[in-house]
Amino acid sequence: MIDVLLINPPGYRGRPRRGPYELASVAEALRRTGFQSELLDVQDAVGEGTVAFPDGFVGDIARIIESRPARVLLITLRTTAGPWALLISREYRKLFPDTVILAFAPRIEHRLQRFMRDDPSFDALCVGDPVEVLPVVAQAVRTDGRGGLRRVPGLVVRDSGELAVSLEQPEAAAWPTNTEPWISPDRSIAAVHVGRGCPDRCTFCAAHLGRGARPRYQEPEAAALDCALAFRRLGSPATGFVMLEAENLTSNPAWLDAFAKAREKLGAAFPWGAYGRIDHMDYKMQRRLADAGCCFLFIGIETGSTGLQKVLGKHFDLEAVLPRITALHAAGIATQSSFMYGIPGETDEDFEQTARLIAEIAWAGGYVDWSPLRIEAGTAMERLTRHHALTLMTDHELYTDLIEAGQEPRAVHPEIGYRMYRLDLPSLGPLASASALAWRTLLMRLPLTTYVLARGLDLPLFRQLRQEAPASGVQPLRRWTEAVAGKEAPCALPFVRELAAYEVGGSAVMTTQFNLELVYPDLRRNPRRIGALFDFAWWSVNGPAVMEAVDV
């Protein structure tokens, strides 16, 4: 029997989108202190196809854990992994009833404490730094069993339905150094955990709660060295990069400057990414990031509505969003912008304003995401919406995965399956969730086609999408866009088909008179030209000739 089994549960189908950063560092800390441990990355196994998911998952995971007895089990709960972590914990308890089971749920600790009052699946919740806590837990359990937990700093312990903080863990001034990086399965991304916490107070975010109230960062010199070492482990340094994991790194320009100097002193030219805010992205910050080797930035914009910004605790000029994102791209920094819907007070007009901004960003070359507002426990948004009803989203990936795995989503405790719920807002139409997902898919997979239809041909694409909301798969959406083009502007249909073929299949030359290889990059640099090149008047005159050329 080993001392500690560390499990990173699955949260979705396919390869990991992020790694079990803390668990790798915990495993290394346990090894250094003389304890035996194993890190079981089930999400990675799902991506590799060695563990079935979601259909067949229950049987596969039972087979895997039955050969891994341990004194302590630590399992992570984040994003959509909650129900799967709970399922694993319960299966493990059946096999090994004497094992101490700990949950680790960064940023959702409030939620887990509520769950633990109702359910005995977890013996304790780690609210301290797991790298420091787990070696102490391993020793306490080895000596005194479950009763030793109350003497371990940094735990919330469950005893007979009551929760008690064992001892307050002193918080170090800086984030731990020499953290073990996560390397993506294809070895294209390395992630180094360099800090936690956020100085901003967005109403919907839990990053500033608990131990995140006072941001802590790894010493810049140590972070630069860890990143340089992690970068060497990538399979293709020419295309790979290192992601600096911290909630809002651009809020600390002094740290970024020190990190850039340390990186330069090491002679390490690794590219890196970070999380930040668009209101930080003035010219000075753009140059700071580009000169320091930043190649990717994740930005939370959340809405295209000025009124909803106030509800979310955001206070930046929406008119500056697109110019700043365009400038970041010009500086060689790719972007991913996150948006949300289902915000209190949101109307159809707000929803469409956000859709238009998302389209402009996608057209400018940025990645976009649009997901429902999640009500995080302990936040101002939770207090604001305490009288709002919640709607279970039957089109959410977690819901459909649970159904396929033979689990009943409605039986999952709401604090564990909270990702499946959104606010029930009478002000939003019933197809908001489906149309948001479909719009995101169109813009990610067919940005040029979508933009030409919505802007160049002035088709009511998004409004029709809201009314009809086809499935989110690429092929159904392609057929739907072709149908819209054929109904609204029949002469545009051949061109739309070729645009989609170009984007999906990489076709080099249009069979119409346009050479898209030349048109496409030019239009992305100068999007306002699209109306002159592809307006409806042009199609009215030239449509028959185009249709004849493509033999439709």
Side-chain angles (χ1 to χ4, degrees):
M1 177 179 289
I2 62 173
D3 291 296
V4 181
L5 177 62
L6 308 164
I7 295 184
N8 182 49
Y12 39 78
R13 309 175 192 222
R15 290 188 175 275
R17 301 171 195 166
R18 62 177 298 165
Y21 313 116
E22 300 92 342
L23 295 191
S25 297
V26 170
E28 177 59 22
L30 289 166
R31 185 194 64 79
R32 288 198 306 265
T33 49
F35 295 101
Q36 289 183 308
S37 70
E38 179 184 358
L39 170 52
L40 181 59
D41 190 344
V42 185
Q43 182 67 70
D44 191 18
V46 167
E48 292 289 337
T50 57
V51 172
F53 186 86
D55 184 25
F57 176 72
V58 176
D60 272 10
I61 198 63
R63 172 182 53 80
I64 290 169
I65 62 177
E66 69 180 358
S67 61
R68 289 173 166 84
R71 293 187 177 89
V72 177
L73 167 64
L74 176 71
I75 192 164
T76 57
L77 291 91
R78 61 171 92 241
T79 64
T80 52
W84 310 108
L86 183 59
L87 187 153
I88 293 170
S89 299
R90 287 173 172 170
E91 287 295 318
Y92 202 90
R93 180 80 79 192
K94 293 177 187 176
L95 293 167
F96 310 108
D98 294 331
T99 294
V100 172
I101 300 180
L102 270 61
F104 178 56
R107 294 182 62 173
I108 59 169
E109 292 97 340
H110 286 74
R111 192 175 296 283
L112 258 293
Q113 290 182 53
R114 293 176 186 173
F115 169 75
M116 287 172 62
R117 290 190 179 96
D118 299 335
D119 191 286
S121 296
F122 304 114
D123 296 304
L125 169 67
C126 179
V127 293
D129 182 347
V131 173
E132 299 174 6
V133 171
L134 261 293
V136 183
V137 169
Q139 183 59 55
V141 172
R142 181 187 283 182
T143 304
D144 298 317
R146 190 175 278 107
L149 293 178
R150 285 183 173 272
R151 298 195 302 275
V152 179
L155 294 181
V156 174
V157 181
R158 188 182 196 277
D159 186 6
S160 302
E162 298 295 325
L163 300 185
V165 177
S166 53
L167 292 169
E168 191 70 28
Q169 183 190 26
E171 192 173 86
W175 193 257
T177 59
N178 303 119
T179 56
E180 184 69 15
W182 173 73
I183 308 296
S184 64
D186 62 1
R187 297 172 65 202
S188 64
I189 300 175
V192 175
H193 211 169
V194 300
R196 182 183 176 189
C198 181
D200 295 298
R201 296 295 184 263
C202 298
T203 60
F204 61 92
C205 185
H208 61 273
L209 300 179
R211 295 178 71 84
R214 185 175 68 85
R216 292 189 302 148
Y217 303 97
Q218 191 178 10
E219 293 296 337
E221 296 77 12
L225 179 58
D226 283 351
C227 290
L229 294 174
F231 185 66
R232 294 177 187 175
R233 295 169 58 178
L234 298 184
S236 177
T239 58
F241 72 99
V242 181
M243 190 69 186
L244 275 61
E245 287 291 325
E247 280 90 351
N248 183 3
L249 208 51
T250 59
S251 66
N252 194 337
W255 190 95
L256 289 170
D257 289 342
F259 175 79
K261 290 179 181 178
R263 175 178 174 272
E264 183 179 5
K265 186 176 180 180
L266 287 171
F270 59 84
W272 53 275
Y275 298 82
R277 288 173 56 108
I278 195 67
D279 44 331
H280 297 159
M281 295 302 125
D282 56 15
Y283 178 77
K284 187 175 181 180
M285 179 60 78
Q286 293 168 19
R287 294 314 323 159
R288 172 184 280 114
L289 294 172
D291 292 345
C294 180
C295 68
F296 173 75
L297 200 62
F298 184 97
I299 305 168
I301 298 173
E302 316 309 354
T303 180
S305 163
T306 300
L308 293 183
Q309 267 203 326
K310 298 176 182 178
V311 178
L312 297 174
K314 299 273 189 179
H315 305 286
F316 56 81
D317 181 8
L318 283 168
E319 294 295 325
V321 169
L322 195 59
R324 289 187 171 188
I325 286 180
T326 302
L328 287 167
H329 295 170
I333 301 173
T335 64
Q336 178 171 343
S337 301
S338 68
F339 290 86
M340 57 180 63
Y341 64 90
I343 302 166
E346 186 172 10
T347 64
D348 284 351
E349 182 180 356
D350 295 320
F351 194 65
E352 290 194 21
Q353 287 175 352
T354 300
R356 285 195 291 271
L357 180 56
I358 290 173
E360 297 285 359
I361 291 173
W363 172 256
Y367 298 98
V368 291
D369 189 35
W370 202 7
S371 57
L373 168 69
R374 297 186 302 274
I375 307 301
E376 300 289 0
T379 62
M381 184 62 72
E382 185 183 48
R383 296 189 292 274
L384 177 68
T385 60
R386 63 185 180 276
H387 299 305
H388 282 67
L390 295 176
T391 295
L392 182 62
M393 296 181 289
T394 56
D395 58 346
H396 194 279
E397 65 174 336
L398 179 55
Y399 183 97
T400 56
D401 284 349
L402 286 167
I403 291 291
E404 191 168 328
Q407 306 295 306
E408 173 50 61
R410 289 175 175 81
V412 176
H413 196 292
E415 300 291 359
I416 295 294
Y418 73 102
R419 287 278 185 145
M420 297 184 289
Y421 292 86
R422 69 173 177 88
L423 292 176
D424 185 5
L425 298 178
S427 58
L428 269 187
L431 293 178
S433 180
S435 57
L437 182 60
W439 188 244
R440 180 183 67 183
T441 302
L442 274 175
L443 289 167
M444 290 300 294
R445 302 294 181 86
L446 303 169
L448 177 60
T449 305
T450 305
Y451 198 89
V452 168
L453 282 170
R455 290 293 298 275
L457 297 178
D458 197 27
L459 302 184
L461 188 66
F462 182 71
R463 293 196 177 189
Q464 292 194 31
L465 185 67
R466 289 211 59 204
Q467 294 168 3
E468 302 172 29
S472 59
V474 177
Q475 292 303 322
L477 284 170
R478 282 188 62 187
R479 289 193 293 270
W480 180 81
T481 55
E482 290 177 0
V484 170
K487 181 172 62 175
E488 296 289 334
C491 57
L493 182 56
F495 188 67
V496 167
R497 285 176 175 165
E498 293 202 46
L499 285 172
Y502 174 85
E503 294 191 276
V504 172
S507 173
V509 181
M510 297 282 289
T511 56
T512 63
Q513 66 191 70
F514 290 108
N515 183 334
L516 201 59
E517 281 190 312
L518 300 177
V519 174
Y520 185 77
D522 183 54
L523 289 180
R524 290 198 85 123
R525 286 192 298 269
N526 303 284
R528 296 190 183 280
R529 291 189 59 194
I530 195 167
L533 288 175
F534 301 123
D535 64 355
F536 186 78
W538 186 95
W539 282 107
S540 298
V541 174
N542 298 286
V546 173
M547 295 173 73
E548 183 179 351
V550 295
D551 194 27
V552 173

